Amino acid sequence: MNLKRIAPVYFTKPVRYCTACNRLDIVTEAEIKSGDSVYCLKHHRIRNSRYKALEHGKLAPSLAELEALLPADMICPVCSKVMCYTEREGPLNSVISLQHWRDGTVSWICHACNTSHGNSKLPENEWLRLMKLVKSNEALCSTCCKILPLSAFHKNSKSSKGIQGYCKSCG
């Protein structure tokens, strides 16, 4: 009996391209499936942020308007840290987040700044001024509104910065 050896056949998933990029004549491999469509990380983040805003009754500009607001250099305009689209690319505190400012405008800032803004009791312009002064080894206490070293805060693994939002003396 003469048996022939047959080469194994490997099945690969077909490559799918981002639905939103495709509309703009850009070829980008999709990574996330949402319903019948697939999206790249950027467009998935933009769509999710828009839908969350709508769920909360907030201003939700069109997808094209939100994409136009993305900073070209992906630097947070508040703290000057590099931002990313998802936790696949970096830590949670560096993921872009849609910020609804009290004057009715929106912009993209990092998750850490968005959380700090939401917890702050300060007027927005004062919060922005102080946040620009905070160094990488410091944080702004949401209660006493002082810039303190990270050692002045209790640890909190569930927060975006890994510390409580208020200092030890306020806690």
Side-chain angles (χ1 to χ4, degrees):
M1 188 186 306
N2 192 3
L3 293 176
K4 283 189 177 179
R5 205 162 234 233
I6 300 171
V9 177
Y10 296 101
F11 294 99
T12 58
K13 280 184 154 182
V15 175
R16 298 200 55 198
Y17 298 100
C18 174
T19 306
C21 289
N22 195 25
R23 286 187 200 119
L24 302 169
D25 290 329
I26 301 169
V27 178
T28 307
E29 194 170 328
E31 296 187 42
I32 299 171
K33 185 171 176 29
S34 179
D36 292 337
S37 302
V38 288
Y39 296 98
C40 63
L41 297 178
K42 175 173 92 171
H43 287 111
H44 183 259
R45 172 61 61 199
I46 292 170
R47 286 174 47 82
N48 273 10
S49 296
R50 183 172 191 278
Y51 292 135
K52 274 188 185 176
L54 287 170
E55 281 176 17
H56 293 198
K58 295 182 178 181
L59 172 69
S62 71
L63 297 173
E65 290 170 325
L66 287 173
E67 186 168 3
L69 289 173
L70 285 171
D73 55 5
M74 289 296 284
I75 301 293
C76 176
V78 177
C79 68
S80 302
K81 290 180 187 164
V82 176
M83 298 185 293
C84 58
Y85 294 115
T86 68
E87 286 183 81
R88 292 181 185 183
E89 302 170 299
L92 173 62
N93 63 354
S94 67
V95 172
I96 63 168
S97 184
L98 187 59
Q99 173 61 51
H100 289 80
W101 299 104
R102 293 179 186 133
D103 66 1
T105 60
V106 295
S107 67
W108 294 103
I109 63 175
C110 71
H111 178 76
C113 289
N114 194 317
T115 302
S116 174
H117 177 262
N119 293 333
S120 177
K121 296 173 179 114
L122 290 169
E124 200 164 77
N125 59 347
E126 181 63 13
W127 175 82
L128 275 168
R129 186 187 71 75
L130 287 173
M131 285 301 291
K132 292 195 183 279
L133 299 174
V134 175
K135 297 181 181 105
S136 62
N137 61 343
E138 297 174 329
L140 177 65
C141 174
S142 63
T143 304
C144 67
C145 303
K146 293 179 185 171
I147 297 173
L148 301 166
L150 294 177
S151 60
F153 295 82
H154 288 290
K155 293 184 181 197
N156 179 355
S157 61
K158 293 181 181 177
S159 76
S160 62
K161 281 188 174 180
I163 58 169
Q164 286 294 119
Y166 49 85
C167 67
K168 290 176 181 176
S169 58
C170 290

